[in-house]
């Protein structure tokens, strides 16, 4: 009797192999978790990655070193834009304020104002548009002067951001009599974290201009539309938007983003309207071995791959037009 039960029948072995084969096939078809995907993409990058992403509808998040302070490069301009919205909202500033560009204001790097004949009269809205769309450094410095460096940093602190700071104007020395914080040499223009800069973009995307417990004002939506129009028109699209713009449902206003670049740094902070809610992606590639400036720069490609993995996981049906998109230009001002 023992010998008869020592070996399973051939039919049983066949059935067992069939079951195991189906199970293995299903396992191969099951995609890796999003957490595993983003870590795998980051592991392949020749440098460091900081990431914080959130689906504002489902509250799903994925992150890599989200609280590590990093160089902002030009994504700190999001904080400048937010302060501008708050000052226009309060009447302290106006979009039609006149600002004069002088030869002394023209600095190198990104942007076109350095090529224009000076003096040149601009509005605050002109300056902000150039700062966001083209990441114009001369425009950025004009905005900082008009809004006040100390006001921008005070607003950052008021938002509860512990590791975000704008140190000075672009390619300019520290203001006379102002001592730079000890870590300025490490971070340059500004510092932040992936999580904190995601919060700034979230507040713009959601149009959260009121103080905690405060009341939304009638013109808030129009103010935010002005800012979002700039962010939708972002000129630099080789990072987060690279693969997303080819997804089903993608429209001209599906993505609002702001980039930042240095030789060893590529950053992109984006708000993406999807079929499954608004998604915020705040990605920083730093200590990059690739210091090139071409379209195939590795930091930008890595951010693009991260954005694609996140959106494909959270919204497999693709992108959507921006919520409440007016279909035509909206203006605002005080």
């Amino acid at each position: 009797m023992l010998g008869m039960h020592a070996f399973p029948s051939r039919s049983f072995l066949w059935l067992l192999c069939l079951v195991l084969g189906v199970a293995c096939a299903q396992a191969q078809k099951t995609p890796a978790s999003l957490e595993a995907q983003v870590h795998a993409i980051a592991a392949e990058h020749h440098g460091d990655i900081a990431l914080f992403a959130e689906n504002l509808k489902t509250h799903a998040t994925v992150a890599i070193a989200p609280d590590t302070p990093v160089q902002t490069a030009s994504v700190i301009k999001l904080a400048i834009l937010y302060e501008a919205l708050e000052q226009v909202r309060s009447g302290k500033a106006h979009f039609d304020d006149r600002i004069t560009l002088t030869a002394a204001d023209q600095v190198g790097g990104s942007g076109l104002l350095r090529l224009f004949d000076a003096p040149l009269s601009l509005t605050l809205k002109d300056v902000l548009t150039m700062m966001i769309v083209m990441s114009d450094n001369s425009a950025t410095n004009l905005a900082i002067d008009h809004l006040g460096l100390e006001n921008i940093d005070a607003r950052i602190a008021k938002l509860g951001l512990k590791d975000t700071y704008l140190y000075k104007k672009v390619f300019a020395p520290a203001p006379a009599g102002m001592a730079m914080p000890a870590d300025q040499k490490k971070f340059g223009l500004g510092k932040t974290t992936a999580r904190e800069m995601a919060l700034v973009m979230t507040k713009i995307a959601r149009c959260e201009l009121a103080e905690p417990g405060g009341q939304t004002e009638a013109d808030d939506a129009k103010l935010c539309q002005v800012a979002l129009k700039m962010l939708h028109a972002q000129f630099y699209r080789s990072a987060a938007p690279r693969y997303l713009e080819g997804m089903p449902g993608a429209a001209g206003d599906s993505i609002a983003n702001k980039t930042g670049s240095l030789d060893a740094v590529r950053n992109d902070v984006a708000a993406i309207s999807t079929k499954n809610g608004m998604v915020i992606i705040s990605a920083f590639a730093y200590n990059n071995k690739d210091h090139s400036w071409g379209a195939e720069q590795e930091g930008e490609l890595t951010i693009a791959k991260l954005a694609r993995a996140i959106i494909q996981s959270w919204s497999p049906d693709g992108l959507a037009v921006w919520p409440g998109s007016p279909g035509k230009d909206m203006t605002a001002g005080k």
Side-chain angles (χ1 to χ4, degrees):
M1 295 289 290
L2 289 174
M4 292 177 63
H5 293 281
F7 301 96
S9 67
R10 289 183 179 179
S11 59
F12 177 76
L13 283 173
W14 179 85
L15 181 61
L16 181 62
C17 289
L18 180 63
V19 171
L20 289 175
V22 172
C24 289
Q26 288 178 338
Q28 289 173 354
K29 292 179 181 178
T30 302
S33 70
L34 178 58
E35 193 81 25
Q37 288 183 63
V38 299
H39 277 87
I41 293 168
E44 292 178 353
H45 180 67
H46 297 90
D48 297 314
I49 296 294
L51 169 73
F52 182 80
E54 181 178 6
N55 183 315
L56 300 182
K57 175 183 176 182
T58 67
H59 304 294
T61 62
V62 66
I64 300 172
D67 301 311
T68 298
V70 292
Q71 289 177 284
T72 62
S74 288
V75 297
I76 194 64
K77 296 169 187 179
L78 278 174
I80 300 172
L81 177 63
Y82 185 82
E83 172 61 16
L85 294 178
E86 291 287 13
Q87 289 199 22
V88 173
R89 185 176 189 264
S90 68
K92 186 176 179 179
H94 309 82
F95 281 136
D96 58 1
D97 285 349
R98 304 308 300 185
I99 298 174
T100 300
L101 172 77
T102 69
D105 297 315
Q106 294 173 306
V107 296
S110 57
L112 296 176
L113 288 184
R114 62 190 174 88
L115 305 175
F116 289 8
D117 291 336
L120 176 67
S121 180
L122 302 160
T123 66
L124 175 59
K125 186 178 177 183
D126 294 334
V127 165
L128 295 172
T129 299
M130 294 294 288
M131 178 183 77
I132 295 299
V133 176
M134 297 295 297
S135 204
D136 194 295
N137 290 328
S138 301
T140 301
N141 288 350
L142 292 176
I144 292 172
D145 282 339
H146 193 74
L147 301 171
L149 178 64
E150 67 287 351
N151 293 328
I152 297 165
D153 281 323
R155 183 71 59 186
I156 289 169
K158 201 168 188 178
L159 292 175
L161 308 183
K162 308 289 186 186
D163 289 302
T164 300
Y165 198 84
L166 172 63
Y167 294 98
K168 60 186 186 66
K169 295 197 293 185
V170 188
F171 296 138
M178 179 180 177
M180 285 285 98
D183 59 2
Q184 186 274 326
K185 289 185 179 180
K186 177 180 178 180
F187 294 105
L189 178 64
K191 71 173 178 180
T192 192
T193 69
R195 190 192 306 272
E196 290 191 352
M197 199 49 65
L199 185 146
V200 177
M201 180 59 91
T202 298
K203 291 187 78 65
I204 294 173
R206 282 181 161 173
C207 199
E208 296 176 345
L209 303 181
E211 298 290 336
Q215 295 295 316
T216 299
E217 295 184 2
D219 278 348
D220 284 359
K222 290 183 179 181
L223 285 173
C224 292
Q225 282 295 332
V226 172
L228 288 167
K229 182 179 179 181
M230 300 172 190
L231 292 163
H232 289 315
Q234 173 61 235
F235 179 77
Y236 301 103
R237 312 195 73 77
S238 298
R242 180 187 290 251
Y243 302 126
L244 304 186
E245 291 181 317
M247 288 186 173
D253 65 353
S254 294
I255 303 169
N257 72 303
K258 182 69 195 80
T259 61
S261 302
L262 299 167
D263 284 342
V265 171
R266 291 295 188 279
N267 307 328
D268 204 347
V269 180
I272 302 123
S273 178
T274 80
K275 296 287 180 62
N276 192 34
M278 185 68 65
V279 173
I280 305 295
I281 298 177
S282 178
F284 296 75
Y286 59 105
N287 293 331
N288 300 327
K289 288 187 178 180
D290 183 357
H291 289 191
S292 69
W293 288 88
E296 302 304 304
Q297 203 277 338
E298 189 192 22
E300 294 180 356
L301 284 170
T302 296
I303 292 173
K305 292 173 184 177
L306 290 167
R308 178 173 59 186
I310 292 166
I311 298 303
Q312 287 179 337
S313 176
W314 286 348
S315 184
D317 292 332
L319 307 190
V321 298
W322 198 265
S325 179
K328 59 183 179 179
D329 294 348
M330 293 180 70
T331 58
K334 291 185 179 182

